[in-house]
Amino acid sequence: MKQKRFLKTATPYFFVLPWIIGFLVFTIGPLIFSLIMSFFDWPLIGSPEFVGFGNYIEMFTKDEQFKKSLVISLKYAAIFVPLNMIIALFLAMLITQPVKGVRVFRTIYYIPTVISGVAVSILWGWILNGDYGVLNYLLSLIGIDGPKWLVDPAWAIVAVIIASAFGVGSMMLIFYTDIKNIPIDVYEAANLDGATPARQFFSITLPIITPTILFNLITSIISSFQQVTLVMLLTGGGPLKSTYFYGLMTYNNAFKHHKLGYASANAWVMFIIILILTALVFKSSSAWVFYETEAGGAKQKKGGKK
Amino acid sequence: MKMSKTSKVIIYILLGIMAVYFLSPFVYMFFTAFKTEAEAIAYPPKLFPAKWLFENFANAWNSQPFGTYLVNSLLVTIGTTVGQVISCSLVAYGFARFNFKGKNVMFMILLSTMMIPWDVTMIPQYMEFQMFGWINTLKPLIVPAWFGSAYYIFLMRQFLMGVPKDFEEAARIDGANAFQIYWKIFMPILKPSLILVGVLNMISVWNDYLGPLIFLQDRSKYTLALGLAQFKGVHETQIIPMLCVTIIMIVPPIIIFIIAQKYIVEGTSGSIK
C-alpha cells in the first residue's frame, strides 16, 4: 500500500524528469558556470586565474570594440525590430484579405523562413555582390547607381537588415492567426458606421492585436541581439568591422581568441541588457497593450482552439 | 464582407509585388545554377542559361564529400526530432495533466529559460562536452534534444490544456497506469502537436550552423549546413557549385513545410493564447 502511494506521488515527477535533468545539465549548470568563468582569466589551455571584476572593468574602460559592437547591435535592433514588425503586419493584413488564392501567397511569404541561416546568407551575398550582383543591375535599370553593399561600411549593415528581413514569415504568421481570430461582426458594425478601412485598421485591428505586438516585440529584441550566423557568413563582421555584431564579438572572443572568461563576461552583459530591455518593454506595455477583459467584453474570442 | 473591384485589384497588386520580393531570388538562383561561371558573373546578367548544364549539380555535389555531410545531417535531424517528440510530450503531459508540489514554480522556470541567450551557455557547454569526450562527434548536437526544449514543451502543454479534464477518467477506472494513458490515449490526441514540434525541430536543426561549427572539427563529421558554408571564403569565386548545393539544401525543408503547413498555421494560432 505504501509503495502504491509513493508511486502515485512520484509519477508526475517521472514525466517531467527529462526536462529536470536537461535543465540541470544543459541550462542552469552552464549558466552558473558561465557566471563563475566571467570572473576568471580563462584560457582554452592552461589554468584559469581569478581576476574579480577585471573582465567587466576591462570591457567598460579599455575595450573599444566592446562599445562599438554594442552600438552596432543596438543600432541593428533599433532599425530591424520595428521594420520587421511593420513588414510582418503589412503581410499579415494582406493575407487576411477575403480574396481568392491568398493561401498561396501565405505559403510563398513563409518559405524563406524555413531556409534560414547559411542558405540565406549565400543567396543574399550573391544578389548583393557589388560587381555582378543582380540587385545593382536592377537598380541601374531605373537609373540608380547601387552601392557596393558588402564592401562599403556605410551600407553593410543595411545589407544585413535586408537579408534578415527575408525571414519575416514566422512573425507574419503569428500576426496572421491573431487577426484571423478577430470576429467578423466587429468589422461589419464598423462598416455600417461608415468607417474607412484605414480607420478600421487603426481603431479595431491594431488595438486588438497589441498583446501579440508585445509578444513579437520581445522575441525579436532577444533574437536580434543573438544574430550571429547571418553576419558571420554575409559580411564576416566587416568591412572595417562595421557589422561586427555583439554576438559575433562574443563568439570570436571565445572560439577564435580563446579568451573564455572574457567572452563569458561579454555574454553576461548581453544577457543583462536583454533582461533590462525586456523589463522596460513589459513596464511600458500597460500603457499600450489592451487585454480583452479591459475592453469590457467588447471582443469575444472565437471559441474552439485555446 | 463585400469588396469593391478596385480594392480587390489593389490587393492583388500588393500581394504580387511582395511575392516577387520573396520568390525572385529563388527563381533567379534556380536558373543561374545551370549556367557557366562566366555567364553567372556576366554583366548585364541574363535570366536564362545559354545552355542548361545539368551536370553542374553532380559536379557541385562531388566537389566536397557532401554525401557524408548529408548522412550526418540526416542523423542529427532524425536523432533530435525523435528525441524532442518523446521527451517534450512526456514533460508536457506531466505539466498539463498532473498536480504536484513545485509544479507552478518549475513551469515558470521552464518558461524563463527561453530568455537565456545561447551565447551565455555555449562556452560552458563546450567545456562540458569536451569533458565527456563528445567534441568532434554528433552527440552534442543530438543528446540535449532528448531532454526536451522549453518552447516545444510549452507548445505541447498548451495543446494538452485544451483537452477536457475527465478525458482519462475512463481509462483510469479500467486500471490503466499513467504511462499507459499517456501512450495509448494522449499520444494519438497529441498528433497535430507532435507533427508541429517535429517539423519545427527538423527545419531548425537542418539549418543549424553555429552548433556544428563549434562542436565539429573533421570534415567527416560535418553537416550539410557546415559543408555549404565552406564555399564562403575559400571558394568564394565558385558561384555555380555554391548555388547548386544551396538549392539541394533548401529543397527538403521547403517540401516538409508545404506538406505540414496546416499544422504550423494551426499550431501558431494555439500557442499565443
Side-chain angles (χ1 to χ4, degrees):
Chain A
M1 206 58 209
K2 217 176 185 181
Q3 201 185 358
K4 212 169 180 187
R5 188 174 305 154
F6 168 75
L7 259 179
K8 210 176 166 212
T9 353
T11 307
Y13 295 101
F14 168 74
F15 278 101
V16 297
L17 190 64
W19 174 73
I20 295 176
I21 296 172
F23 173 69
L24 294 176
V25 178
F26 300 120
T27 308
I28 196 73
L31 189 72
I32 293 169
F33 196 59
S34 150
L35 185 62
I36 295 170
M37 284 178 80
S38 75
F39 296 105
F40 281 83
D41 183 2
W42 200 302
L44 193 61
I45 305 156
S47 47
E49 189 190 326
F50 183 74
V51 290
F53 281 96
N55 286 329
Y56 293 94
I57 293 168
E58 186 185 334
M59 221 184 298
F60 285 98
T61 56
K62 287 187 206 135
D63 190 350
E64 282 301 311
Q65 192 55 52
F66 162 76
K67 268 174 237 159
K68 280 184 199 156
S69 289
L70 187 58
V71 170
I72 292 169
S73 277
L74 284 171
K75 197 168 126 191
Y76 171 75
I79 302 170
F80 174 72
V81 172
L83 184 76
N84 212 29
M85 300 233 312
I86 289 168
I87 298 174
L89 190 52
F90 173 69
L91 292 175
M93 287 303 293
L94 273 182
I95 56 172
T96 43
Q97 296 304 318
V99 293
K100 262 188 200 149
V102 275
R103 282 181 172 215
V104 178
F105 290 99
R106 186 183 75 192
T107 309
I108 292 172
Y109 299 164
Y110 194 83
I111 279 179
T113 310
V114 306
I115 62 153
S116 59
V118 183
V120 166
S121 56
I122 284 181
L123 191 57
W124 282 98
W126 167 66
I127 288 171
L128 295 171
N129 187 293
D131 297 322
Y132 53 79
V134 69
L135 183 65
N136 279 359
Y137 170 70
L138 293 176
L139 287 176
S140 75
L141 291 183
I142 50 171
I144 298 174
D145 191 14
K148 295 220 174 230
W149 298 97
L150 302 171
V151 191
D152 185 340
W155 285 96
I157 194 164
V158 182
V160 176
I161 289 169
I162 292 175
S164 37
F166 208 44
V168 71
S170 51
M171 201 188 277
M172 170 197 78
L173 204 57
I174 294 172
F175 277 134
Y176 165 82
T177 53
D178 201 22
I179 295 170
K180 269 261 164 178
N181 281 337
I182 302 173
I184 199 97
D185 45 352
V186 179
Y187 291 104
E188 269 162 5
N191 253 348
L192 286 179
D193 292 344
T196 63
R199 207 192 135 90
Q200 287 182 23
F201 174 75
F202 285 107
S203 357
I204 301 174
T205 315
L206 212 51
I208 289 180
I209 62 168
T210 44
T212 309
I213 293 177
L214 176 67
F215 175 83
N216 279 338
L217 185 60
I218 289 172
T219 52
S220 60
I221 288 175
I222 294 176
S223 68
S224 68
F225 263 91
Q226 295 185 65
Q227 177 63 271
V228 176
T229 306
L230 194 61
V231 276
M232 210 181 247
L233 292 167
L234 192 63
T235 61
L240 298 176
K241 296 207 167 176
S242 58
T243 56
Y244 203 67
F245 282 34
Y246 195 90
L248 185 59
M249 177 194 78
T250 306
Y251 175 87
N252 281 346
N253 278 340
F255 295 103
K256 237 184 183 167
H257 310 310
H258 303 310
K259 299 193 311 193
L260 300 184
Y262 191 62
S264 300
N266 290 158
W268 268 89
V269 170
M270 178 210 272
F271 189 22
I272 290 164
I273 291 173
I274 288 177
L275 287 179
I276 291 173
L277 285 176
T278 311
L280 285 177
V281 171
F282 258 117
K283 208 148 191 216
S284 78
S285 71
S286 61
W288 59 271
V289 174
F290 305 96
Y291 290 99
E292 285 168 67
T293 45
E294 295 169 32
K299 175 198 161 206
Q300 281 260 306
K301 271 261 160 69
K302 257 200 327 206
K305 201 158 274 117
K306 249 245 139 126
Chain B
M1 222 187 312
K2 277 247 169 92
M3 233 184 188
S4 72
K5 242 196 176 135
T6 1
S7 43
K8 261 190 186 170
V9 170
I10 294 171
I11 285 164
Y12 275 119
I13 290 173
L14 291 175
L15 282 168
I17 292 173
M18 294 317 289
V20 167
Y21 167 67
F22 285 109
L23 271 189
S24 56
F26 294 109
V27 174
Y28 185 54
M29 173 168 68
F30 177 78
F31 287 122
T32 306
F34 293 96
K35 295 176 186 168
T36 61
E37 281 292 337
E39 266 181 283
I41 56 169
Y43 198 89
K46 284 205 180 81
L47 180 57
F48 296 109
K51 216 178 128 208
W52 293 74
L53 301 172
F54 287 93
E55 64 267 31
N56 280 354
F57 282 86
N59 292 341
W61 191 255
N62 294 326
S63 68
Q64 282 187 61
F66 277 111
T68 311
Y69 302 168
L70 175 66
V71 171
N72 291 335
S73 271
L74 287 175
L75 282 175
V76 175
T77 306
I78 295 168
T80 53
T81 304
V82 174
Q84 291 285 14
V85 163
I86 293 174
S87 60
C88 293
S89 62
L90 279 171
V91 177
Y93 180 70
F95 276 120
R97 310 302 291 192
F98 292 98
N99 273 316
F100 53 92
K101 240 193 195 155
K103 178 172 114 165
N104 291 337
V105 177
M106 275 159 77
F107 196 68
M108 282 306 292
I109 293 174
L110 179 126
L111 289 183
S112 53
T113 58
M114 286 195 269
M115 299 258 309
I116 302 171
W118 193 55
D119 306 65
V120 181
T121 48
M122 73 179 174
I123 300 166
Q125 269 186 15
Y126 177 85
M127 298 168 71
E128 198 173 31
F129 294 136
Q130 201 172 35
M131 217 166 65
F132 298 164
W134 287 3
I135 296 299
N136 202 24
T137 72
L138 299 179
K139 284 178 201 152
L141 303 173
I142 299 175
V143 175
W146 286 78
F147 297 91
S149 140
Y151 179 55
Y152 300 151
I153 293 171
F154 170 71
L155 284 180
M156 285 195 184
R157 182 232 179 219
Q158 292 300 91
F159 186 89
L160 284 174
M161 294 295 274
V163 180
K165 273 248 179 308
D166 47 1
F167 203 84
E168 59 261 60
E169 283 308 311
R172 195 160 283 154
I173 291 163
D174 285 347
N177 67 34
F179 187 77
Q180 287 166 325
I181 295 174
Y182 152 79
W183 187 252
K184 293 213 178 109
I185 300 182
F186 278 93
M187 276 307 236
I189 303 177
L190 257 177
K191 197 183 133 207
S193 199
L194 296 175
I195 294 176
L196 171 70
V197 165
V199 168
L200 290 180
N201 180 69
M202 269 190 247
I203 291 172
S204 81
V205 170
W206 181 264
N207 289 321
D208 184 25
Y209 172 67
L210 273 190
L213 180 69
I214 294 175
F215 300 129
L216 306 176
Q217 288 152 357
D218 291 341
R219 282 188 162 236
S220 63
K221 296 290 187 301
Y222 276 16
T223 59
L224 266 185
L226 199 51
L228 178 58
Q230 301 305 306
F231 280 120
K232 295 291 267 182
V234 193
H235 304 287
E236 193 77 54
T237 45
Q238 292 185 311
I239 300 163
I240 299 297
M242 187 168 86
L243 295 183
C244 288
V245 178
T246 304
I247 290 174
I248 296 172
M249 165 127 193
I250 66 177
V251 167
I254 291 178
I255 290 175
I256 289 176
F257 162 66
I258 290 176
I259 294 173
Q261 184 172 190
K262 184 183 134 216
Y263 297 100
I264 294 182
V265 175
E266 281 171 8
T268 307
S269 158
S271 69
I272 51 172
K273 301 287 152 57

